[in-house]
Protein backbone atom coordinates (compact mmCIF):
# COMPACT_ATOMS: atom_id res chain seq x y z
CA UNK A 1 0.00 0.00 0.00
CA UNK A 2 1.37 3.41 -0.91
CA UNK A 3 2.29 5.98 1.71
CA UNK A 4 -0.23 8.40 0.17
CA UNK A 5 -3.10 5.91 0.58
CA UNK A 6 -2.03 5.12 4.14
CA UNK A 7 -2.07 8.85 4.92
CA UNK A 8 -5.60 9.25 3.44
CA UNK A 9 -6.82 6.26 5.46
CA UNK A 10 -5.30 7.67 8.67
CA UNK A 11 -7.02 11.00 8.00
CA UNK A 12 -10.37 9.29 7.36
CA UNK A 13 -10.26 7.25 10.58
CA UNK A 14 -9.08 10.11 12.79
CA UNK A 15 -12.63 11.37 12.75
CA UNK A 16 -14.89 8.70 11.25
CA UNK A 17 -18.23 10.05 10.14
CA UNK A 18 -21.53 8.37 10.87
CA UNK A 19 -20.25 5.73 13.26
CA UNK A 20 -22.74 4.05 15.58
CA UNK A 21 -26.26 2.68 15.65
CA UNK A 22 -29.03 4.70 13.98
CA UNK A 23 -32.19 4.43 16.06
CA UNK A 24 -35.41 3.92 14.10
CA UNK A 25 -33.52 2.99 10.93
CA UNK A 26 -35.64 2.00 7.95
CA UNK A 27 -33.13 -0.62 6.78
CA UNK A 28 -30.25 -2.50 8.36
CA UNK A 29 -27.68 -4.68 6.62
CA UNK A 30 -24.98 -6.82 8.19
CA UNK A 31 -22.16 -8.72 6.53
CA UNK A 32 -19.29 -10.79 7.78
CA UNK A 33 -16.15 -11.92 6.03
CA UNK A 34 -15.29 -15.34 7.44
CA UNK A 35 -11.82 -15.35 5.89
CA UNK A 36 -10.49 -12.29 7.71
CA UNK A 37 -13.00 -11.98 10.57
CA UNK A 38 -14.31 -8.55 9.63
CA UNK A 39 -17.95 -7.64 10.23
CA UNK A 40 -19.89 -4.54 9.31
CA UNK A 41 -23.42 -3.34 10.01
CA UNK A 42 -24.99 -0.46 8.11
CA UNK A 43 -28.15 1.43 9.17
CA UNK A 44 -30.16 3.50 6.68
CA UNK A 45 -32.87 6.12 7.26
CA UNK A 46 -34.92 7.50 4.36
CA UNK A 47 -36.72 10.78 3.80
CA UNK A 48 -39.13 12.04 1.18
CA UNK A 49 -37.53 14.59 -1.14
CA UNK A 50 -39.34 16.02 -4.19
CA UNK A 51 -41.55 12.95 -4.39
CA UNK A 52 -38.64 10.52 -4.14
CA UNK A 53 -37.60 8.30 -1.25
CA UNK A 54 -33.90 9.10 -0.70
CA UNK A 55 -31.32 8.13 1.90
CA UNK A 56 -31.32 10.81 4.57
CA UNK A 57 -28.72 9.27 6.83
CA UNK A 58 -26.55 6.17 7.03
CA UNK A 59 -24.41 4.97 9.94
CA UNK A 60 -22.21 1.95 10.58
CA UNK A 61 -20.44 -0.20 13.13
CA UNK A 62 -17.45 -2.30 12.16
CA UNK A 63 -15.12 -4.98 13.40
CA UNK A 64 -12.55 -4.43 10.72
CA UNK A 65 -9.27 -2.93 9.71
CA UNK A 66 -8.62 0.79 9.31
CA UNK A 67 -9.37 0.61 5.58
CA UNK A 68 -12.82 -0.97 6.13
CA UNK A 69 -13.68 1.71 8.69
CA UNK A 70 -12.45 4.50 6.39
CA UNK A 71 -14.42 3.15 3.40
CA UNK A 72 -17.59 2.73 5.50
CA UNK A 73 -17.25 6.28 6.82
CA UNK A 74 -16.83 7.73 3.34
CA UNK A 75 -19.55 5.54 1.80
CA UNK A 76 -22.15 6.68 4.36
CA UNK A 77 -21.55 10.23 3.16
CA UNK A 78 -21.53 9.23 -0.51
CA UNK A 79 -24.96 7.54 -0.45
CA UNK A 80 -26.74 10.41 1.31
CA UNK A 81 -29.39 11.94 -0.97
CA UNK A 82 -29.48 8.92 -3.29
CA UNK A 83 -32.38 6.55 -3.84
CA UNK A 84 -31.84 2.89 -2.94
CA UNK A 85 -31.43 2.11 -6.65
CA UNK A 86 -28.83 4.85 -7.10
CA UNK A 87 -26.89 3.68 -4.05
CA UNK A 88 -26.98 0.07 -5.25
CA UNK A 89 -25.67 1.12 -8.66
CA UNK A 90 -22.40 2.39 -7.13
CA UNK A 91 -19.46 0.21 -7.98
CA UNK A 92 -17.23 -1.26 -5.28
CA UNK A 93 -14.37 1.08 -6.16
CA UNK A 94 -16.68 4.14 -6.04
CA UNK A 95 -17.57 3.42 -2.41
CA UNK A 96 -13.97 4.18 -1.40
CA UNK A 97 -14.67 7.79 -2.40
CA UNK A 98 -11.81 10.19 -1.79
CA UNK A 99 -9.48 7.37 -0.72
CA UNK A 100 -9.12 6.62 -4.40
CA UNK A 101 -8.26 3.22 -5.87
CA UNK A 102 -7.51 0.53 -3.28
CA UNK A 103 -4.72 -2.01 -3.80
CA UNK A 104 -5.86 -5.59 -4.56
CA UNK A 105 -5.26 -6.74 -0.97
CA UNK A 106 -7.65 -4.05 0.34
CA UNK A 107 -10.50 -4.39 -2.20
CA UNK A 108 -12.28 -6.71 0.24
CA UNK A 109 -12.75 -3.70 2.56
CA UNK A 110 -14.88 -1.91 -0.05
CA UNK A 111 -16.63 -5.21 -0.85
CA UNK A 112 -17.55 -5.52 2.83
CA UNK A 113 -19.21 -2.09 2.71
CA UNK A 114 -20.90 -2.92 -0.59
CA UNK A 115 -22.19 -6.18 0.91
CA UNK A 116 -23.71 -4.37 3.90
CA UNK A 117 -25.30 -1.83 1.58
CA UNK A 118 -26.81 -4.57 -0.57
CA UNK A 119 -27.95 -6.47 2.51
CA UNK A 120 -29.79 -3.37 3.75
CA UNK A 121 -31.27 -2.23 0.46
CA UNK A 122 -32.05 -5.35 -1.55
CA UNK A 123 -35.14 -7.45 -0.94
CA UNK A 124 -34.55 -10.75 0.84
CA UNK A 125 -33.28 -12.69 -2.14
CA UNK A 126 -29.86 -13.73 -0.96
CA UNK A 127 -29.44 -17.42 -0.33
CA UNK A 128 -26.79 -17.32 2.42
CA UNK A 129 -28.51 -15.56 5.29
CA UNK A 130 -28.94 -15.78 9.02
CA UNK A 131 -31.55 -13.67 10.75
CA UNK A 132 -30.83 -11.68 13.87
CA UNK A 133 -32.58 -8.91 15.82
CA UNK A 134 -31.89 -5.25 15.07
CA UNK A 135 -32.16 -4.52 18.80
CA UNK A 136 -30.58 -6.55 21.59
CA UNK A 137 -32.53 -9.46 23.01
CA UNK A 138 -34.13 -8.72 26.39
CA UNK A 139 -31.53 -9.40 29.04
CA UNK A 140 -28.55 -8.93 26.72
CA UNK A 141 -25.71 -6.61 27.70
CA UNK A 142 -26.12 -3.89 25.07
CA UNK A 143 -26.93 -2.75 21.57
CA UNK A 144 -23.52 -3.10 19.99
CA UNK A 145 -22.58 -5.21 16.99
CA UNK A 146 -20.91 -7.97 19.01
CA UNK A 147 -23.94 -8.35 21.28
CA UNK A 148 -26.21 -8.59 18.26
CA UNK A 149 -24.06 -11.25 16.62
CA UNK A 150 -23.99 -13.19 19.88
CA UNK A 151 -27.76 -13.02 20.29
CA UNK A 152 -28.63 -14.19 16.75
CA UNK A 153 -32.18 -15.49 16.52
CA UNK A 154 -34.82 -15.92 13.87
CA UNK A 155 -37.83 -13.71 14.49
CA UNK A 156 -39.77 -10.81 13.06
CA UNK A 157 -37.91 -7.48 12.88
CA UNK A 158 -34.61 -9.16 11.98
CA UNK A 159 -31.88 -8.30 9.55
CA UNK A 160 -29.76 -10.50 7.34
CA UNK A 161 -26.14 -11.41 7.96
CA UNK A 162 -24.54 -12.20 4.63
CA UNK A 163 -21.26 -14.06 4.52
CA UNK A 164 -19.21 -12.79 1.60
CA UNK A 165 -17.80 -15.24 -0.92
CA UNK A 166 -14.04 -14.77 -0.90
CA UNK A 167 -13.14 -17.35 -3.53
CA UNK A 168 -11.95 -14.63 -5.92
CA UNK A 169 -9.90 -12.95 -3.15
CA UNK A 170 -8.13 -16.21 -2.33
CA UNK A 171 -7.20 -16.70 -5.96
CA UNK A 172 -5.56 -13.23 -6.07
CA UNK A 173 -3.29 -13.90 -3.11
Amino acid sequence: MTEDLQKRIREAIKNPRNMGELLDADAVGTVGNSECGEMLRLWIKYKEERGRKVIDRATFQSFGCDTAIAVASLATELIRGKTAEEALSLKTEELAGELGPLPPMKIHCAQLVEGALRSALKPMEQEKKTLMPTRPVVGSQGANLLDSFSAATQKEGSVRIVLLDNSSDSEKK
Side-chain angles (χ1 to χ4, degrees):
M1 196 160 39
T2 67
E3 181 60 37
D4 184 47
L5 178 58
Q6 288 176 338
K7 181 181 176 187
R8 286 180 282 164
I9 290 169
R10 279 193 303 272
E11 289 298 316
I13 64 168
K14 269 187 192 176
N15 187 22
R17 295 172 264 176
N18 306 309
M19 188 179 270
E21 181 178 1
L22 178 59
L23 297 177
D24 300 322
D26 297 314
V28 181
T30 305
V31 295
N33 183 327
S34 60
E35 189 170 296
C36 64
E38 294 178 329
M39 293 179 264
L40 188 124
R41 177 173 280 175
L42 185 70
W43 287 268
I44 302 215
K45 184 78 176 160
Y46 293 102
K47 70 177 179 180
E48 189 73 23
E49 186 177 90
R50 292 183 296 237
R52 296 181 339 143
K53 182 178 167 183
V54 298
I55 297 168
D56 181 42
R57 185 147 185 243
T59 65
F60 74 98
Q61 282 183 334
S62 176
F63 290 123
C65 67
D66 291 350
T67 305
I69 293 168
V71 171
S73 176
L74 294 170
T76 57
E77 291 289 318
L78 182 66
I79 64 174
R80 185 177 285 156
K82 295 186 180 337
T83 65
E85 294 78 21
E86 291 167 340
L88 287 168
S89 72
L90 292 170
K91 294 179 173 84
T92 303
E93 53 275 2
E94 291 174 306
L95 293 173
E98 60 196 49
L99 291 178
L102 299 176
M105 73 259 202
K106 290 297 183 178
I107 293 291
H108 73 279
C109 297
Q111 290 171 335
L112 192 71
V113 174
E114 180 183 25
L117 185 63
R118 290 191 183 290
S119 175
L121 299 180
K122 277 195 155 189
M124 290 189 70
E125 60 187 41
Q126 303 184 353
E127 294 179 27
K128 292 182 180 178
K129 63 181 177 258
T130 303
L131 297 176
M132 63 184 240
T134 57
R135 300 274 186 264
V137 176
V138 176
S140 70
Q141 294 295 322
N144 65 36
L145 186 55
L146 181 59
D147 291 338
S148 295
F149 274 109
S150 300
T153 63
Q154 292 189 2
K155 58 180 166 181
E156 190 175 333
S158 325
V159 294
R160 296 179 305 277
I161 299 174
V162 180
L163 295 177
L164 300 177
D165 177 13
N166 292 327
S167 57
S168 60
D169 286 348
S170 299
E171 294 168 7
K172 292 177 186 174
K173 291 181 180 177

